[in-house]
Amino acid sequence: MPRSASPPGSTFQRADGRPVGWAVSPGLTPYLAAVEAMEQRAHAISQGEAEELVWLLEHPSLYSAGVSAKPADLLSPDRFPVFRSGRGGQFTYHGPGQRVAYLMLDLRVRGRDARAFVASLETWIVAALASLGVRGEIRPGRVGVWVKHVGAAPSPGPDLEQRDDKIAAIGVKLRRWVSFHGVSLNVAPDLRHFEGIVPCGITGHGVTSLADLGLNIGMPRLDRALREAFTPVFGALSDSAPPLGP
């Protein structure tokens, strides 16, 4: 049975009400440069030298391996560059048409609870999808956000076959209780590129996108939905410059 994302409480709202920066990078941002800028910003936050930040971007096509990635799950090692990452999780694909949100948040002032943090990220994504008319769901034992895919049954008859398709992946890392890495949500990527890996190490399920669900939603509209859904969970936002220039 699906479980609902946990309702946002006060745990991840800052008691002092200070806003989180919100930055959007146009075009495609190289992966290694983004990771370096993100880690520098997270370190500065931990030292009290910078404000929290949510950074939205897109990457060129690549495969990213989290700390739990299994070599056998990389099915097409020569298709795209493969980057080892310190984030949680296993293999995932990043590329054009996928919105990546890197979150550099200070959990020292939000409650030092990694599991609750991940649940709050799921709550955020589910709420953003709901505002676009998509029912995102959470599954026990599977991090991320899923939608029910209904297709023709493999055998004759009126029944329909249902399976879970993943629409958003979550992979985060904490260092000195400051988060980095974050969430990737499929808007309109080429879903065939997920065939080169076992996404998140999970078999028997598919991967979908807003476009695959029949929704022609561009990045600006998705970004508005993400921004509106963020505030009830994590607090106020303010416009900020990306940590990496064009």
Side-chain angles (χ1 to χ4, degrees):
M1 293 294 292
R3 64 176 174 88
S4 300
S6 303
S10 59
T11 300
F12 285 97
Q13 296 272 347
R14 289 186 65 120
D16 59 14
R18 289 167 67 176
V20 178
W22 184 268
V24 182
S25 287
L28 300 179
T29 303
Y31 183 77
L32 288 180
V35 169
E36 181 179 0
M38 174 174 51
E39 291 194 354
Q40 289 176 353
R41 180 61 173 256
H43 176 73
I45 292 169
S46 72
Q47 299 299 307
E49 299 169 354
E51 299 296 328
E52 296 177 305
L53 183 70
V54 178
W55 183 18
L56 305 186
L57 48 75
E58 292 177 80
H59 287 306
S61 291
L62 63 97
Y63 293 132
S64 171
V67 295
S68 301
K70 301 174 183 177
D73 288 344
L74 180 60
L75 307 178
S76 300
D78 299 325
R79 180 179 293 196
F80 298 121
V82 180
F83 296 98
R84 296 290 167 180
S85 170
R87 63 164 173 81
Q90 303 188 43
F91 279 106
T92 194
Y93 165 77
H94 294 313
Q98 182 191 74
R99 176 52 89 208
V100 174
Y102 288 137
L103 297 103
M104 289 143 274
L105 301 180
D106 190 348
L107 271 62
R108 296 171 300 183
V109 296
R110 295 176 177 274
R112 300 176 187 239
D113 189 329
R115 289 186 180 181
F117 174 52
V118 171
S120 294
L121 294 176
E122 292 173 335
T123 296
W124 170 41
I125 298 303
V126 167
L129 290 173
S131 72
L132 300 171
V134 176
R135 183 178 177 180
E137 296 181 342
I138 311 305
R139 296 291 184 264
R142 287 192 252 142
V143 175
V145 179
W146 304 76
V147 297
K148 290 180 179 177
H149 174 97
V150 180
S155 57
D159 294 335
L160 293 176
E161 179 186 25
Q162 285 195 357
R163 73 165 190 258
D164 284 339
D165 283 351
K166 197 169 196 175
I167 195 167
I170 296 175
V172 294
K173 184 175 177 63
L174 300 177
R175 184 178 292 155
R176 300 184 182 92
W177 288 106
V178 175
S179 70
F180 52 106
H181 292 283
V183 175
S184 59
L185 196 155
N186 297 326
V187 180
D190 187 337
L191 296 178
R192 293 173 297 180
H193 295 331
F194 286 93
E195 296 171 2
I197 56 173
V198 178
C200 302
I202 299 174
T203 59
H205 304 286
V207 179
T208 192
S209 66
L210 294 174
D212 190 46
L213 296 174
L215 299 175
N216 183 21
I217 293 173
M219 288 294 179
R221 184 177 173 190
L222 173 66
D223 291 349
R224 288 194 298 272
L226 289 170
R227 183 165 184 155
E228 291 170 0
F230 184 90
T231 297
V233 182
F234 294 103
L237 289 163
S238 64
D239 292 330
S240 182
L244 185 67

